[in-house]
Amino acid sequence: MADQEIRDDPTPAAPPAATPAATPAEPVTTPAAPPAAAAAPPASTRPKRVSYRGRTAGAKVSSNQKEGKVEEFEPFMLLPRGPPPLKEFLDIWDVDVLKQPQQINKQGHHTHLYSSDSLIVRRAQEFQIKITFDRPYKPAEDKFAVEFVIGPSPQYSKGTYIPVFPTEERQSVWRGRVVESSDNVVTMGITTSAECIVGKYMIYIGVVTPYGIRRTRRDPSTDVYILFNPWSPADPVFLDDEEEREECVMNELGIIYHGAYDDVSERAWNYGQFEFGVLDACLFIMDKADMPLSNRGDVVKVTRIASAMLNSRDDDGVLVGNWSGDYTYGVPPTSWTGSVEILLDYAGSRGTPVCYAQCWVFAAVFNTFLRCLGIPGRIVTNFFSAHDNDGNLKMDIILDENGKLDRNRTKDSIWNYHCWNECFMARSDLPPGFGGWQVVDATPQETSDGLFRCGPASVAAIKHGQICYPFDAPFVFAEVNSDVIFYRRQKDGTLEVAKVNPSHVGRMVLTKAVLHDGRRDITDQYKFPEGSPEERRVLEKAEEFGCQRERASVPQGDVEVEIPNLDVRVGDNFDVILKFKNQSDQRRTADVYVTGTVVYYTGVPSAEVVFKTPKVKLDPQQSKEEKVLVRGEDYMHKLVEQANIHIIATGKIKETGQIITAMKVILMHNPKLIVKVTGSPRVSEEMYVSVEFTNPFKFNLENVDLRMEGPGIMPFKRKQYSLIAPGTSITWTETFSPRRAGSTKLIASLDCAALRQVYGETELTVKQ
Amino acid sequence: MADQEIRDDPTPAAPPAATPAATPAEPVTTPAAPPAAAAAPPASTRPKRVSYRGRTAGAKVSSNQKEGKVEEFEPFMLLPRGPPPLKEFLDIWDVDVLKQPQQINKQGHHTHLYSSDSLIVRRAQEFQIKITFDRPYKPAEDKFAVEFVIGPSPQYSKGTYIPVFPTEERQSVWRGRVVESSDNVVTMGITTSAECIVGKYMIYIGVVTPYGIRRTRRDPSTDVYILFNPWSPADPVFLDDEEEREECVMNELGIIYHGAYDDVSERAWNYGQFEFGVLDACLFIMDKADMPLSNRGDVVKVTRIASAMLNSRDDDGVLVGNWSGDYTYGVPPTSWTGSVEILLDYAGSRGTPVCYAQCWVFAAVFNTFLRCLGIPGRIVTNFFSAHDNDGNLKMDIILDENGKLDRNRTKDSIWNYHCWNECFMARSDLPPGFGGWQVVDATPQETSDGLFRCGPASVAAIKHGQICYPFDAPFVFAEVNSDVIFYRRQKDGTLEVAKVNPSHVGRMVLTKAVLHDGRRDITDQYKFPEGSPEERRVLEKAEEFGCQRERASVPQGDVEVEIPNLDVRVGDNFDVILKFKNQSDQRRTADVYVTGTVVYYTGVPSAEVVFKTPKVKLDPQQSKEEKVLVRGEDYMHKLVEQANIHIIATGKIKETGQIITAMKVILMHNPKLIVKVTGSPRVSEEMYVSVEFTNPFKFNLENVDLRMEGPGIMPFKRKQYSLIAPGTSITWTETFSPRRAGSTKLIASLDCAALRQVYGETELTVKQ
């Protein structure tokens, strides 16, 4: 008919054929029911959804979960002449995708640790399936294909329908061969392309008959997940170091660094990327992001989307950031011990953002996402991090005319530390030289260009100041390179630059060592040494690309002050020591202001706890110490989580007008949990773990939450105590039964409004 | 007190002083009331807003509209000794910012056309203000500053508080000088920095007294807008061509091209950037975007944010895209005649997205935004545009085994045309050579990386295939360079590449000529000539950066077919002519399928209107024409807006198996409106305009909307007719009174469900 109407979701009149040949047609699919036209609301309200009619020829293909229906029989257009021949064609009795963890596929593809009943393999590497026919396979006469289908609208040209042929003469974009053929059983070897879509595919076997294609039915037991492959040189995520792969892909246990650069704290974490349900949760995240399937083979796009999806700002992402101290209706960020609960919660609720996270939680869950999909990933911690930086290199601190810190005017805050992710990939979208580790930061920037995502940005490019290459490199560059600029108000009320500290920010970048619990200092991956000519060139190049710096030159002074580190247990009294050194040959008198402020780890002040104004007289060339007492009773009731006190000492030298400054973050060390395991650690044996804690303070701890988990041995568990009185101890005991062998840990945390971030762990090695 | 609590919004204990000196302190501001802590909802619901406490030291500074309170008197910390002196200090009687359109500021800064009572100037260029004191100014003794303040939290280090001093010894980042001093009146010349924040500033004059700073009161009559300055070599938007500036900054009238590349239609548009309220609406857009004030001096960031804000996807932006044909609760995109109504509607409703837009409306309103803020801008139209391209270079068309178009399987659609913006700027964030015109596209991409914004992307980089530089260059590159790939299903059901058409997409890029109504073909700005060695290198480079191309080589055939253009009035019968040419020395027989489909301008099919299957026999070297009749009665009731019929002729040559293809978009030309002006065109004279239309069809036109406007002469007006019967005419008459002199137009549109996109215009020159 000439006037055939084409509806939004057309039903084909005559199904086309699909045979094993060079580039076959897609199977006929019956798409989902046509979407109802969006009900148009009055113009005064905000219409959210408009029908896509007229805008695109079909619905967007961005769901892995939806399944396009595949026809079981597709007749050919042209029927053969003459009477129908006797039944000659192959019939399929069984398809075995060899999916047991101990079989060749999972062992060879390093996917044996996933808790999954499905086959899981990696791309660009051969895996095998066994097809049992009704009679022996005759290559010259029998034509069949193994067909891989993903999503609601399979199309060969979009990479969502891929047939794999057994013979050399006809090959598609994925390679196939007959590994073995004996009796009725054919073992096919299948190798995907190195850039195929990462996700969950359906498998069909299609056999050519004289009348059309006959296919197996939909069989979820043969579904296969295809992941990124750091073991294959053809894959952009190829990482040519087996130990790094063991650490950054296969290790479920991590250590996240925090605290202060000269008093580093550690927090163990269960990434749990192999736990049941986590892989599906990661695919769900990409579906929730509405990410087109055809983009999901591109690791740059996957990591960029995930950077946005990890935070809930403007896209219903996984985690809600909350630094306020009020976590009434969620889990305090310091309480989590692993990623699994978070991801299962998110996927299970069909995408309700999980409360709450701070930077390490965003980073940890993102790390799980990366490792689960096969992208090598690790968490790094940058000490003194200029987050929220507008991409410029200036963090301002305002002092009044006497050199006292003016908190009202000081709006910038430098984070004591910040955690982000690195993922490993080639960057074919950039000029050569910028592959390798890439920064991705899932913690929302308050002042980025409105986007709550960051990266991937090449670490090599950041080190060399080449910040013009995508994505978001200026933000990361500023995070590790900003100058701290002290402005001082003068006697007549004017402001001028008093001091520029170019080495405070980005003091140290740490990540966990490979395959043991040590630290790796990777600062030199991000920055040339302070004061080196390369460093100077890099900063100039960054300025060329628009990063603003403070150019004022401040005359050198001749008095120095510094504050050495302290080891303080929370609740203790302690002395802050200021060490002065007069480097001149004259007397110097310093009017000093010492302010101690409880700060969040973001550097945002909460409450001042000490304020002293010592006058320090220094003879020529003299060194002198001044002590300032800080008492537990002054700060205990004002501590916020993470128990940091920020000491800033500033002052003016009477004789010269020089401004001196020193800053120090003092960590209060919390009590610890004692975790003990009893029983003989074997797979499937019943074992016991106990967590002990004693309240060392003089006040009650109320509504106390304990959490515990251990990769491969114990899923996450919780327990609550309504009250732990001063001096009393609690012991929480659980049983568990290890699921798999190997070295692992049990990680526990304790959390309540009055005391956060109490941790404990124990290692154990499970035998078979 | 040592235990002074610091609240979220601190009130300073003692206000500091601000005197004219090198880098003065910011004035004391009393911020707005502290925000209430966000009520925490249950974890099962989605918490949207969490208190910023702990996350940042103060609220984000991203509103131009909010005003920080500035203290009228700030006492000094240190009071002078001895008895107070007699009153000596300057008193301010008047501040005149010389804001009349005929005065020196607006004339010199090319801002005299704005309908605004406020001063409007451009950055990096001197403007003058007159201050009347109570006595003559004595430079040696009197100290004062002109202070510029923007936003709720003025800070010198953030560029939101800038004092300007009259004397050479003390200068801040903006320069000041005394132009003239006579009697009590001082004329100050002020030159802002070349990267200052663009927006609306408040002016204060601060005078130093022995006791503190005395300031003028808040006076909105002295508010000043500071814009980008394409006339200043220091400004990154500097455009060194006066005619281009007259066109791309100062011209309120534009022409937008559409239709087909060989049958280009024109649509006049009133950008109206100088109309009352438009400048405030543009600043409102940046406030609605929550764009930090400190970023608003950076033209790259401003245009990038605006690209997102113009569409309502995920950020409550200005316009809602709708291509469906159902515009019941909004204005059909083809009905708008200018940007003014849209922007005033958006700002007036405090940011409710306006319904509806298609690509030229997004582009036109964006162009108004650019020109209004002083960024040179123009609209370009790309004919045959591969929008929604994933950043890859393949647009697939599927044919069945006989060569007939398979609409069910063909999901990609090529837009007949697409409009985006170019803006002119230096790109200091990129390596040298990529400044100049930059592409920004505000029409949402369906398949970008989840972001509904595109650009700025350097046109020069796109031309040279250097698509690794930010932002979003691969999408634009694919938009003009994609290949059209025809797949054909063979007799046994397989698909193979039948033809690759590398020259269909990006056929022509047009923009309006400078200062007259002609066209400029700027295709060569985007692409090297087809087939040239440079073009080949560019495509290879783009492939290096990840754009995928189809590599199959298709053997050349010896039969060609093409479809010449037609000039068709809507409703007419017409013949589609197919011209065949047999270039071989043998006979050739072509089995041809000719399909005519009504398409949206996005190429998405709506209804098929003709389908013929001619068999064409060609002798050796013969040329032959075949005609296919298309009747008005077949298509009239199926036409959608923009009245395009897409003819695609495909077929197979019996003797060789060659697939031949030809495609043509046939535009149906609509009737026009006749616009006539009577009266003598002078400023403030009363004049009449009439709009005539006759219904040439055999059916009623119901619920007909007419619109009309003229820059500088008539604000937008509407009129509705419930019925225009076949053959009847209507005449709509309005009076108007030109506001300003010069050449201009009256633009009118008619729109109803049965007939869209009927236009008319007339030129007139208004005398003083």
Side-chain angles (χ1 to χ4, degrees), chain A residues 145-319:
Chain A
V146 182
E147 299 172 309
F148 292 80
V149 174
I150 181 170
S153 180
Q155 286 186 288
Y156 180 76
S157 56
K158 302 297 181 197
T160 49
Y161 166 80
I162 308 96
V164 180
F165 305 110
T167 54
E168 208 38 59
E169 308 86 61
R170 289 207 146 86
Q171 289 286 307
S172 75
V173 286
W174 295 10
R175 294 193 56 76
R177 67 182 185 113
V178 172
V179 176
E180 188 184 343
S181 179
S182 73
D183 295 331
N184 297 358
V185 180
V186 171
T187 304
M188 275 278 286
I190 296 156
T191 310
T192 78
S193 71
E195 274 121 8
C196 73
I197 293 166
V198 164
K200 183 177 178 184
Y201 291 75
M202 304 172 275
I203 291 181
Y204 297 86
I205 316 288
V207 174
V208 177
T209 78
Y211 295 95
I213 309 288
R214 287 184 78 232
R215 274 194 190 89
T216 50
R217 286 192 182 159
R218 173 84 183 96
D219 181 5
S221 77
T222 61
D223 285 351
V224 56
Y225 294 82
I226 299 179
L227 308 180
F228 292 98
N229 191 352
W231 283 265
S232 165
D235 195 319
V237 301
F238 175 55
L239 174 50
D240 194 10
D241 182 331
E242 178 58 20
E243 289 197 333
E244 285 267 23
R245 291 185 297 230
E246 280 300 310
E247 173 65 32
C248 298
V249 180
M250 301 301 286
N251 197 350
E252 281 188 305
L253 271 174
I255 297 179
I256 302 173
Y257 300 104
H258 59 106
Y261 82 92
D262 53 357
D263 189 6
V264 177
S265 302
E266 300 185 359
R267 169 187 280 126
W269 193 272
N270 175 20
Y271 296 120
Q273 61 265 33
F274 303 128
E275 293 292 329
F276 185 81
V278 171
L279 177 52
D280 283 323
C282 295
L283 298 186
F284 173 76
I285 288 173
M286 291 194 282
D287 280 0
K288 197 74 164 62
D290 222 13
M291 183 181 187
L293 288 183
S294 52
N295 283 347
R296 297 191 196 185
D298 183 333
V299 63
V300 173
K301 288 179 176 156
V302 168
T303 52
R304 185 149 178 76
I305 287 277
S307 164
M309 279 305 286
L310 256 294
N311 67 75
S312 64
R313 295 294 285 270
D314 81 17
D315 51 20
D316 275 359
V318 180
L319 286 159

Side-chain angles (χ1 to χ4, degrees), chain A residues 16 21 23 40 46 54-55 60 77 157 329 388 390 396 401 408-409 428 444 446 451 453 468 470 494-495 544 602, chain B residues 10 16 21 23 40-41 54-55 60 77 157 294 329 388 396 401 409 428 444 446 451 453 468 470 494-495 544 602:
Chain A
T23 317
R46 194 179 324 126
R55 178 65 175 76
K60 194 168 161 185
M77 298 293 303
S157 56
Y329 294 105
D388 299 334
D390 293 2
D396 303 332
E401 65 254 31
N408 299 331
R409 289 201 168 77
S428 58
E446 282 306 318
L451 307 181
R453 75 196 72 197
C468 58
T494 56
L495 273 187
E544 281 175 38
T602 54
Chain B
T23 316
R55 179 63 175 79
K60 194 168 163 186
M77 298 292 303
S157 55
S294 53
Y329 295 105
D388 298 337
D396 303 331
E401 65 255 28
R409 291 203 166 74
S428 58
E446 284 304 320
L451 307 182
R453 75 195 73 198
C468 57
T494 58
L495 274 187
E544 281 173 37
T602 54

Side-chain angles (χ1 to χ4, degrees), chain B residues 688-708:
Chain B
Y688 296 86
V689 57
S690 67
V691 180
E692 290 175 37
F693 170 77
T694 304
N695 177 359
F697 306 111
K698 298 188 185 62
F699 49 84
N700 287 333
L701 299 175
E702 297 176 17
N703 298 323
V704 181
D705 258 307
L706 275 82
R707 301 176 106 80
M708 174 157 57

